[in-house]
Amino acid sequence: MQARPRGNYFLFSFLFGLALAFVIFLPFILVDGGRFIFYGDFNVQQIPFYRLAHDAIREGNIGWNHLTDLGVNFIGSYSFYLLGSPFFWITIPFPGEWLQYLMGPLFILKFACASLAAYVYLHRYAKNPNAALLASLLYAFSGFSVYNIFFNHFHEAIIVFPLLLAALDEYMYAHRRGIFALAVAACCIVNYYFFVGMVTFTVIYFFVRLIAGSWKISVRDFLLLALEAVLGLGAACILLVPSVLCILQNYRVSNPISGWNALLYDRPQRYIHILQCLFFPPDLPARPNFTPDSESKWASLGAWLPMFSMTGVIGWLQMHRRHWLKKMLWILFCMALLPGLNASFQLMNASYYARWFYMLTLMMSAATMMALENPRIDWKRTIKWTTVITLAVTLVIGLMPTFIKEDDEIVSVTWGLEKYPTRFWCYAAIALISLTLVVFLLTFYVRGSKTFYRASFICLSAVITLYSIYFIALGKTQSDYTYNHIIPYALNGGADVTIDDLRDDRVRTDFYESLDNSAMFWQVQSIQAFHSIVPGSTMEFYDSIGVQRDVASRPDTTHYGLRALTSVKYLFDCDHDEDYFAGEDYASPGMPGWMYYGNANGFDIWENENYIPLGFTYDRYVTEDTYENTGEGHRELLMLKALVLTERQAQKWSDMLTELPETEIKYTEEAYEADCAARAKLTCDTFQYTNTGFTATITTSRDVPVFFSIPYEDGWHAYVNGEKVDIERVNVGFMAIRVNAGTNIKIEFVYQTPGLLLGVLISVVCILLIVLYMLCMRTVEKYRRRMVVVPHNMVVRPLSHYAKKHNTSFENHPLIRLKPRFKPDRALEKKEDFPDEC
């Protein structure tokens, strides 16, 4: 490569990453008609989530979102996925129909930004900017980054993390004030989940460097650094506070790791998986191959550095010298192998994830860069070690015999422990060919020369492009529904479905054994939803009726009463799969009371004859004790007979409701139909969602409780004819209010996102404090620059004295400077071994 001014490399790192990502994604964008469609979660979450959130924001509907599950807190539910992402906000000016065509270009931009961010951090520690550029590409296109194409929203964390460390370095080396606070705010806003891991890493990073003697800090500077961290966290409260209040309702956060599970993984294969991810390209998220029984699906186990693999890392660790990066790497490897320490990156949650490995890959990229620039690295030795480990894993997993016995006699032998042999040997081939290229570069080029870097960039670009394309292509083979369902029937928004009331706010839908979030593609209400963050009342309700609600709501057809309770009117059954709602002959519907409606947009459509419009009334009640004593399979049927109340609520509404005698409780299909008919007799005349909640009208000759199958949350406020009324939490997790007799009674529910106002106030105050802090620090800095620091026995005079005497200005004179703002790394044995960290 041609020598360039150092400053140009910032732009060049961005453009290099942009070009590589463009080459990788372009073939798939062209094949999919301008779209980028992958498989699994990316297809059924990222694409519809972007469109739904995009349209909601453009319409000003940022409070309650009724198109997600039974309804969700929009900010609390979508801040994890995209609301803090600047890449999402880039899409807002574009029409909603363009979103499907923007996913690919956004990914290309993300990889380019990751390369730039890594260079911003790494260039400080490089003698040659080409080495930093090489390492930035290793980070941006590491196994972790390519693996998590599956999870579109993970790449924002990959981008901001190097900037956080770079900001901390600026504070420690140059005393640059305020940048660390801004970096903390950016990391927290982008994704609060990943921010927890970043905090853990940054604390370790800070103290390791202090202990290693790489940094020195005064008590004053430490307190100012802590102040910046607090102010940065406060500036992010606009999203953080509503998100925390929402996520605390999710039972998945209350699962701390403990006991032996904190010391040893319960799956021995997981240790092999962790080792393998360092030396081989990543497995597909849902298809672990090397270790199929490691229970690590979707765990983001990927840390391979393209082409160089572990050669530079092992070389750096083998060098006989003390250095902070060696300590960091050993600590991180130990944390990866100990479940309790691994869990520290996710608030000690027991669920296994390695979603902090992008931090590890940044340190590994730095080690590779430093190893390339250090003349004392024994590359023959490190390549030998890397090759031996790679071959050992390949041969053991690829050729290990498994004896199949019958009646204690061996009847056959299978070779290999992998699940998909063809893919396995392709992974192994990529890893070994990459090592061969490293040997080629070190043998035929002088390490550190221009020709060496030129050849390295060519070889690295080839490996990155080929392995990334192979990974994406492999993933696309797992989704056979791209061309026969997603493009023709999902992305068209259900345009061919001509049901007049399909998008009526009183109507929900059901999609039988169909693509997850099919309703979200069409932007219609549905009880089927694949979304991790929903109100706690929704999870409590589903748990009470025996429906598992962890990452998705997928009630099966045994819960037919649930459909009536939640106002489901239409069911869509994909007509080109083998899962038939009513059998191949359409004669046996999976639930009672469903009649065939017609076929459109790739679906057979069924209509619920027992449909109850959203917003209906009761005349009976049962207590929670009666409900708890009812079997789970009958509980939603009981809710169709009577309203489930606490003892206090029963006394409060005793003038409107009478208790349902146990002798009248029957769970037959005839009773079910009668109960649905009784509930449908008196319902709201109108019902409509608004940007602040929903409104309804009803006419009733008696005082009644009006029930809405909308999840209860603290942010709801209800008004009847303009007067505020109490909202009661009924039927385990839903809402009901009292309405007195009258004609055309107006009901209004207003939703205010819990914690949003508080978060905005905290953010505004902290941002103002950050600005004030930076102005104060700048004033202090200017004052300090006016003074000359001289030995204690000399007179200290302001610079203006000498400027006037010599008729010149010394503001930028190289010989007039303050005390050194950092202390050189004590671990450096020779200056030429490591670049000046200034």
Side-chain angles (χ1 to χ4, degrees):
M1 293 184 59
Q2 298 294 325
R4 291 181 172 83
R6 194 177 185 89
N8 288 348
Y9 275 78
F10 292 97
L11 177 60
F12 193 54
S13 64
F14 175 82
L15 295 178
F16 206 147
L18 189 73
L20 279 176
F22 180 79
V23 172
I24 291 168
F25 284 95
L26 181 60
F28 303 104
I29 293 175
L30 292 177
V31 168
D32 292 337
R35 312 169 185 87
F36 175 71
I37 300 175
F38 193 33
Y39 88 106
D41 292 14
F42 179 84
N43 291 352
V44 301
Q45 285 195 320
Q46 309 305 327
I47 296 176
F49 286 4
Y50 258 66
R51 175 64 189 273
L52 183 147
H54 169 276
D55 290 354
I57 289 174
R58 282 173 62 102
E59 295 167 4
N61 186 8
I62 61 171
W64 185 259
N65 186 269
H66 64 284
L67 298 176
T68 305
D69 210 290
L70 298 176
V72 298
N73 169 351
F74 177 72
I75 293 177
S77 293
Y78 283 94
S79 59
F80 170 71
Y81 291 102
L82 46 76
L83 286 184
S85 169
F87 299 95
F88 165 72
W89 289 95
I90 291 174
T91 70
I92 297 301
F94 298 95
E97 294 76 13
W98 290 27
L99 266 294
Q100 57 185 294
Y101 301 103
L102 292 176
M103 301 303 291
L106 287 177
F107 248 135
I108 294 171
L109 183 60
K110 287 183 182 182
F111 275 94
C113 290
S115 177
L116 172 60
Y119 185 83
V120 169
Y121 171 71
L122 293 167
H123 85 281
R124 180 186 297 275
Y125 303 103
K127 296 177 184 177
N128 188 327
N130 284 313
L133 177 59
L134 194 72
S136 70
L137 295 176
L138 293 179
Y139 173 75
F141 295 90
S142 69
F144 186 89
S145 298
V146 173
Y147 177 107
N148 285 295
I149 291 173
F150 189 79
F151 297 112
N152 174 65
H153 56 295
F154 286 19
H155 284 257
E156 282 79 350
I158 297 172
I159 294 168
V160 297
F161 173 66
L163 300 179
L164 177 65
L165 296 189
L168 180 57
D169 284 353
E170 277 294 299
Y171 184 94
M172 297 302 297
Y173 286 135
H175 283 202
R176 189 75 57 84
R177 309 295 189 183
I179 295 180
F180 184 69
L182 297 177
V184 170
C187 292
C188 188
I189 287 176
V190 160
N191 193 294
Y192 58 84
Y193 170 82
F194 287 100
F195 179 70
V196 172
M198 292 181 196
V199 170
T200 301
F201 182 95
T202 305
V203 170
I204 297 170
Y205 178 82
F206 178 80
F207 284 104
V208 165
R209 298 202 65 173
L210 281 182
I211 294 171
S214 177
W215 284 341
K216 292 293 181 181
I217 188 170
S218 65
V219 174
R220 170 181 171 273
D221 285 343
F222 179 80
L223 293 176
L224 288 176
L225 181 64
L227 175 63
E228 289 198 23
V230 172
L231 291 178
L233 182 66
C237 281
I238 186 172
L239 284 183
L240 182 62
V241 173
S243 300
V244 169
L245 293 179
C246 179
I247 200 68
L248 286 177
Q249 303 176 43
N250 195 313
Y251 70 86
R252 296 175 69 196
V253 302
S254 58
N255 182 29
I257 194 168
S258 61
W260 279 102
N261 290 331
L263 298 177
L264 295 170
Y265 291 117
D266 56 353
R267 298 282 178 171
Q269 287 188 21
R270 191 168 293 161
Y271 292 100
I272 304 298
H273 198 164
I274 294 171
L275 176 67
Q276 167 259 319
C277 81
L278 299 172
F279 290 87
F280 294 86
D283 279 337
L284 288 175
R287 305 287 189 274
N289 190 16
F290 285 72
T291 56
D293 297 320
S294 63
E295 292 295 324
S296 301
K297 293 181 179 180
W298 309 289
S300 297
L301 264 171
W304 186 65
L305 298 184
M307 190 171 78
F308 285 93
S309 184
M310 290 290 287
T311 55
V313 177
I314 293 176
W316 188 252
L317 293 176
Q318 288 179 336
M319 194 170 59
H320 296 294
R321 59 176 295 180
R322 296 165 53 196
H323 195 274
W324 65 267
L325 185 54
K326 288 181 65 174
K327 295 179 174 62
M328 278 299 303
L329 287 170
W330 284 121
I331 290 172
L332 294 176
F333 290 142
C334 290
M335 295 184 79
L337 294 173
L338 286 174
L341 296 179
N342 182 82
S344 66
F345 290 98
Q346 49 178 1
L347 283 180
M348 304 307 294
N349 194 277
S351 300
Y352 178 71
Y353 291 112
R355 292 177 175 172
W356 60 274
F357 272 26
Y358 63 97
M359 309 178 196
L360 175 60
T361 60
L362 183 62
M363 295 297 101
M364 290 166 56
S365 300
T368 303
M369 176 188 72
M370 296 178 187
L372 285 172
E373 293 195 312
N374 194 304
R376 295 190 301 160
I377 297 294
D378 186 349
W379 279 92
K380 289 184 179 180
R381 183 183 180 191
T382 187
I383 290 174
K384 185 183 299 183
W385 270 99
T386 307
T387 304
V388 167
I389 296 174
T390 304
L391 281 174
V393 174
T394 301
L395 296 177
V396 169
I397 294 180
L399 300 178
M400 177 69 70
T402 300
F403 300 105
I404 300 174
K405 297 182 178 180
E406 290 184 6
D407 298 329
D408 295 329
E409 292 186 6
I410 299 175
V411 295
S412 63
V413 179
T414 60
W415 298 91
L417 304 176
E418 71 279 2
K419 190 171 184 178
Y420 310 102
T422 303
R423 299 180 197 174
F424 170 81
W425 291 109
C426 287
Y427 291 143
I430 293 172
L432 293 171
I433 290 173
S434 295
L435 294 177
T436 304
L437 290 175
V438 175
V439 173
F440 166 77
L441 292 170
L442 295 173
T443 302
F444 293 98
Y445 296 92
V446 178
R447 181 157 52 93
S449 66
K450 293 180 181 178
T451 55
F452 171 80
Y453 283 115
R454 184 183 298 115
S456 296
F457 282 120
I458 293 172
C459 293
L460 179 60
S461 298
V463 171
I464 286 174
T465 302
L466 293 175
Y467 108 87
S468 301
I469 289 177
Y470 175 74
F471 178 88
I472 297 173
L474 199 60
K476 287 181 71 66
T477 63
Q478 308 305 306
S479 59
D480 56 356
Y481 49 81
T482 297
Y483 305 107
N484 64 8
H485 190 90
I486 291 183
I487 293 176
Y489 302 130
L491 292 178
N492 74 343
D496 297 332
V497 179
T498 57
I499 301 175
D500 293 337
D501 60 349
L502 178 62
R503 289 175 173 80
D504 189 314
D505 290 343
R506 305 174 73 187
V507 173
R508 287 195 178 108
T509 62
D510 187 8
F511 283 77
Y512 177 77
E513 299 293 336
S514 297
L515 181 74
D516 281 325
N517 290 331
S518 289
M520 200 175 291
F521 280 99
W522 295 4
Q523 302 222 1
V524 298
Q525 296 187 89
S526 177
I527 63 170
Q528 301 280 352
F530 178 24
H531 195 294
S532 299
I533 304 170
V534 297
S537 53
T538 300
M539 306 186 89
E540 185 178 349
F541 165 72
Y542 275 123
D543 182 63
S544 74
I545 63 173
V547 174
Q548 181 180 359
R549 189 25 171 122
D550 43 17
V551 298
S553 299
R554 301 186 183 107
D556 59 36
T557 53
T558 60
H559 296 274
Y560 58 89
L562 171 66
R563 273 70 179 180
L565 182 71
T566 55
S567 302
V568 173
K569 187 174 184 180
Y570 298 106
L571 181 145
F572 293 86
D573 180 19
C574 186
D575 65 8
H576 46 283
D577 63 18
E578 296 180 355
D579 295 310
Y580 299 100
F581 173 68
E584 294 188 52
D585 57 359
Y586 291 50
S588 305
M591 296 183 289
W594 288 83
M595 298 296 293
Y596 184 70
Y597 183 91
N599 181 281
N601 211 69
F603 287 90
D604 290 322
I605 306 172
W606 297 78
E607 184 175 2
N608 185 8
E609 293 186 319
N610 297 311
Y611 162 69
I612 311 171
L614 195 61
F616 55 86
T617 60
Y618 285 89
D619 52 13
R620 301 285 188 95
Y621 78 89
V622 294
T623 63
E624 288 185 338
D625 289 339
T626 302
Y627 180 80
E628 292 295 332
N629 292 330
T630 303
E632 288 183 345
H634 291 146
R635 287 179 178 177
E636 70 259 32
L637 296 177
L638 179 61
M639 291 181 188
L640 291 170
K641 299 175 182 294
L643 193 63
V644 180
L645 302 175
T646 63
E647 292 289 350
R648 180 194 63 79
Q649 291 171 334
Q651 293 177 4
K652 183 177 180 180
W653 283 356
S654 60
D655 60 326
M656 294 188 299
L657 302 172
T658 58
E659 187 170 8
L660 177 66
E662 293 188 15
T663 56
E664 296 184 16
I665 299 177
K666 297 179 181 180
Y667 299 112
T668 62
E669 291 187 11
E670 291 75 14
Y672 162 67
E673 293 177 0
D675 293 334
C676 291
R679 300 286 74 76
K681 280 183 179 179
L682 181 56
T683 66
C684 290
D685 302 318
T686 63
F687 179 92
Q688 184 176 12
Y689 285 103
T690 66
N691 284 347
T692 57
F694 62 88
T695 61
T697 61
I698 191 171
T699 297
T700 175
S701 59
R702 59 184 178 85
D703 297 349
V704 291
V706 182
F707 167 78
F708 299 96
S709 57
I710 296 172
Y712 177 92
E713 271 219 345
D714 292 336
W716 284 111
H717 304 278
Y719 303 86
V720 175
N721 288 334
E723 295 185 6
K724 190 172 183 179
V725 297
D726 294 333
I727 301 175
E728 299 293 338
R729 178 170 176 160
V730 300
N731 282 353
V732 181
F734 297 114
M735 299 187 294
I737 59 171
R738 179 191 184 104
V739 173
N740 296 327
T743 302
N744 198 29
I745 299 168
K746 295 181 181 179
I747 300 170
E748 182 180 13
F749 275 65
V750 177
Y751 184 76
Q752 297 175 346
T753 305
L756 180 60
L757 179 59
L758 175 62
V760 170
L761 291 175
I762 295 174
S763 291
V764 170
V765 170
C766 288
I767 290 172
L768 293 176
L769 289 176
I770 290 174
V771 173
L772 179 63
Y773 165 79
M774 295 178 71
L775 291 175
C776 291
M777 291 297 102
R778 187 173 182 180
T779 302
V780 171
E781 185 71 10
K782 284 184 177 180
Y783 176 77
R784 292 180 65 197
R785 286 184 178 277
R786 294 179 56 202
M787 307 301 296
V788 181
V789 178
V790 295
H792 67 279
N793 58 346
M794 294 183 65
V795 177
V796 178
R797 293 190 175 94
L799 281 176
S800 58
H801 170 81
Y802 296 96
K804 184 177 180 179
K805 180 178 179 179
H806 297 283
N807 192 29
T808 184
S809 172
F810 291 90
E811 284 292 331
N812 299 314
H813 197 285
L815 299 180
I816 301 178
R817 56 187 299 177
L818 300 176
K819 293 180 181 179
R821 292 174 179 168
F822 67 93
K823 193 164 185 177
D825 194 336
R826 289 182 177 178
L828 301 181
E829 298 176 5
K830 294 182 181 179
K831 184 175 178 61
E832 59 270 18
D833 288 347
F834 196 67
D836 186 358
E837 295 190 2
C838 181

